[in-house]
Amino acid sequence: MRISADRERCVGSGMCALIAPDIFDQDDDGTVLLLDPQPQQQHSAVREALDSCPARALEFD
């Protein structure tokens, strides 16, 4: 699993960081920060975070 985050599209809701804090964080402006673009675990939490993003700023392949 490889994750990408479109920081330009992010609206700073923080859902990703709440659901998978080991994978996502937010900068001082609230924009998504990707901590681990290729997580070896927590795949279900990552999928939930992607589904919960209101801006659809997160993707995986």
Side-chain angles (χ1 to χ4, degrees):
M1 170 180 279
R2 180 166 181 77
I3 306 167
S4 62
D6 185 342
R7 293 178 43 87
E8 295 294 319
R9 192 174 200 176
C10 177
V11 296
S13 74
M15 293 305 297
C16 57
L18 289 172
I19 294 168
D22 293 335
I23 310 300
F24 305 100
D25 199 357
Q26 292 177 281
D27 65 13
D28 292 337
D29 295 327
T31 305
V32 64
L33 291 175
L34 188 54
L35 302 176
D36 186 357
Q38 291 185 291
Q40 299 301 310
Q41 299 178 357
Q42 301 186 8
H43 292 183
S44 63
V46 168
R47 285 189 180 94
E48 182 181 349
L50 271 65
D51 290 342
S52 298
C53 179
R56 301 292 178 230
L58 307 171
E59 295 182 0
F60 77 95
D61 53 41

